[in-house]
Amino acid sequence: MSGSQSPKDFFRPLAVGAPTPLTDIPARPSRAIHFFDPSNPKMAAKIPDMVGTVDVLLGNLEDAVKADNKVAAREGLVEIAQRTDFGPTQLWTRINSLDSPWALDDLTTLVPAIGDKLDVIMVPKVQGAEDIHYVDRLLAQLEAKAGLDRPILVHAILETARGVANVEEICGASPRMQGLSLGPADLAADRRMKTTRVGGGHPGYLVRQDPPRNDLGVTDYDAPRATYQQDLWHYTIARMVDACAMHGIYPYYGPFGDITDVVACEDQFRNAFLLGCVGTWSLHPKQIAIANRVFSPSVEDVAHARRVAAAMGDGTGAVMLDGKMEDDASLKQCLVMVELAEQLAAIDPELKKAYDAIEVESA
Ligand SMILES: CC(C)(COP(=O)(O)OP(=O)(O)OC[C@H]1O[C@@H](n2cnc3c(N)ncnc32)[C@H](O)[C@@H]1OP(=O)(O)O)[C@@H](O)C(=O)NCCC(=O)NCCSC(=O)C[C@H](O)C(=O)O
Ligand SMILES: [Mg+2]
């Protein structure tokens, strides 16, 4: 909320005739946000067939689109959106950064042309609430002019040190805020981290087992010792998750640039899922299946969660199940899993079949 705004104004439209802001951000499944470059004819041609196979299709206008292709990408996205029925799949875009010469034209072109189809606009390199306020007011004016009847939501990428420091105020800057993604490549550069990758770990970021003592009780610094690679992104993802949960919006991992290393990609996605993220980006078609698998609770987890819910009856007190204590707090965790499974089953027939096959008694 802006410093000069009173709480009662927070949910008022920022332009006369603009749609009324939402008081709750809908929990729409968004396991994979699949990036494509609308100026790339080969990628663009694949988009209509990808509808229904991925939760979110995102026309990317920012980094990874050549400067010479910025206008073609914007126009390509308009064309694809106008001729495609997206059915259950959400359509998002990532506009150019607010300090670029393209961001204004991105918004003033896309909202009138395809605002009725755009669910979420991703804003890169968000530094603080002021960036969200700028987009918020401009979107309200454009929505009013275009006669839109629902607000377009805003998603911020956390990819500067200042953005991370301001993460709570960014999440609470507007009722349009839908969620946050991590931008590990830009963030690493802005923080002057000594990495050269797009997301993922680094073999140098590790902890080493203590040196053992030899038979004489002397520490043997030359003995072989195991090392354990650590997660460079744990701190930032955890901050994002808390800020999003506090504001009722959704946290996402981001890009995993090593397209070939599907195993490490799955690990990075799973860490984010376990920490509370609801989805991730997919940069290549092969990452969609990984994201869908990781960000859908396993049949075993759903079976266990339903079993705890059944055993807990009215939800209070404590019970023993398989030698473990379950109580109100473990039930709440289980209900997160059960609710997510229900949301995903509603859009994914394969998952519905798998979850429906669970029998509470035998699980
Ligand atoms: C990474 C890529 C450049 C790889 O492309 P390519 O070399 O063409 O891969 P393949 O030969 O394996 O492709 C096989 C076919 O699949 C099509 N393809 C590839 N990617 C996509 C896609 N994303 N959507 C739809 N179709 C796709 C190819 O055209 C091939 O088709 P065909 O020849 O007909 O069989 C490429 O995947 C790519 O550019 N991906 C998107 C990259 C991107 O969006 N990057 C920006 C997001 S990450 C970022 O910005 C960093 C972040 O902000 C931060 O700061 O951390
Ligand atoms: Mg970036």
Side-chain angles (χ1 to χ4, degrees), residues 34-37 40-44 46-47 50 57-58 60 62-65 94 124-125 157-159 182-188 197-199 254-257 259 281-286 288:
H34 181 73
F35 275 57
F36 66 94
D37 173 354
N40 177 322
K42 279 213 294 193
M43 279 193 209
K46 292 191 163 47
I47 298 312
M50 295 180 83
L57 282 164
L58 179 145
N60 177 34
E62 200 224 7
D63 292 355
V65 175
R94 177 171 78 170
K125 302 178 179 71
I157 316 180
L158 220 49
E159 47 189 354
L182 173 72
D186 272 301
L187 182 56
R197 302 170 174 205
V198 178
F256 191 88
I259 308 290
W281 301 3
S282 142
L283 304 184
H284 187 279
K286 68 160 91 158
I288 295 174

Side-chain angles (χ1 to χ4, degrees), residues 1 24 47 51-52 86 94 101 114 126 145 147 158 165 184 195 212 229 294 352 363:
M1 196 182 313
D24 285 305
I47 298 312
V51 168
F86 288 91
R94 177 171 78 170
I114 57 168
V126 170
K145 199 170 163 202
L158 220 49
T195 52
Q229 201 171 316
V294 170
K352 179 170 166 40

